[in-house]
Amino acid sequence: EIKITNISSYFKSRYLPEDIIKINIHTILYGNNFCTIYIEDGEPVALEISNPGFVKAQKSLFRLAWEQAREI
């Protein structure tokens, strides 16, 4: 059995105000895979792309957004 007492020690979060960019999707990058999930009318819509070049580009966009975001 694994007990986690402080889950926030396992990740970092930042916040970007909507006037900078509005992101209403969930994105997951793992290995050479990109997955995004959007909820439309209560139903999930998902897309998965397996491509190292695409993942590299998405990581670059993430880094740009991360640098602009403020810590919470």
Side-chain angles (χ1 to χ4, degrees):
E1 181 178 332
I2 298 173
K3 293 183 180 180
I4 299 174
T5 56
N6 185 3
I7 196 165
S8 64
S9 66
Y10 293 93
F11 64 90
K12 294 181 180 179
S13 297
R14 291 195 175 196
Y15 173 76
L16 271 172
E18 286 187 9
D19 62 337
I20 293 176
I21 187 169
K22 184 174 181 177
I23 300 174
N24 57 354
I25 60 172
H26 301 282
T27 300
I28 304 164
L29 299 170
Y30 56 99
N32 289 324
N33 302 296
F34 165 85
C35 179
T36 187
I37 302 167
Y38 174 74
I39 307 297
E40 184 176 326
D41 299 325
E43 294 293 322
V45 178
L47 171 70
E48 184 176 27
I49 299 172
S50 296
N51 181 282
F54 189 84
V55 170
K56 184 178 179 180
Q58 290 298 311
K59 285 180 179 181
S60 293
L61 292 173
F62 174 83
R63 279 191 288 279
L64 284 171
W66 185 263
E67 290 169 3
Q68 296 297 312
R70 65 178 185 232
E71 293 184 28
I72 56 174

